[in-house]
Amino acid sequence: MKLHDLLESVTDEQSFLAFVKALREDREIEATAEKASPSGPYGPTQGGWENVTIESFLESACSWAEDTGFGESQDLSDASPLRKFATFLYLGKIYE
């Protein structure tokens, strides 16, 4: 199952943890690929990671939360807290 599909399926603690494990695995695969063939300094890595340091990851996740009211402007107003947090983590990967 793709990472975004796992994000969409977060409804409870188990599905949240499955998503977090998949996000970690996605990052590990990306780190290995980047060592073998580094991406350019501008834009995302080969696997779509915009933010590869913990600092940039958390900064982007926080920026997304602030910019969208923690997803209120993106149809997450009725989402569970775990789904919102999973989205927060996912956006740490891709939000600029």
Side-chain angles (χ1 to χ4, degrees):
M1 188 177 269
K2 291 186 178 184
L3 190 57
H4 191 267
D5 295 332
L6 283 171
L7 171 63
E8 295 290 323
S9 69
V10 171
T11 57
D12 57 17
E13 291 87 354
Q14 286 194 307
S15 58
F16 174 76
L17 291 176
F19 167 76
V20 171
K21 288 175 184 178
L23 181 63
R24 178 189 51 81
E25 290 170 4
D26 186 62
R27 180 65 194 125
E28 286 177 347
I29 291 166
E30 184 64 18
T32 300
E34 283 295 306
K35 283 181 185 176
S37 178
S39 297
Y42 306 106
T45 62
Q46 299 166 25
W49 282 81
E50 290 283 351
N51 308 295
V52 296
T53 67
I54 191 66
E55 297 88 352
S56 63
F57 178 87
L58 292 173
E59 178 182 7
S60 292
C62 285
S63 292
W64 167 81
E66 292 169 347
D67 292 348
T68 66
F70 221 107
E72 294 297 315
S73 67
Q74 296 182 328
D75 199 28
L76 286 176
S77 58
D78 294 333
S80 72
L82 287 173
R83 171 72 186 282
K84 286 183 180 183
F85 189 54
T87 303
F88 175 84
L89 293 174
Y90 181 74
L91 271 289
K93 171 186 172 177
I94 64 171
Y95 198 73
E96 292 183 73

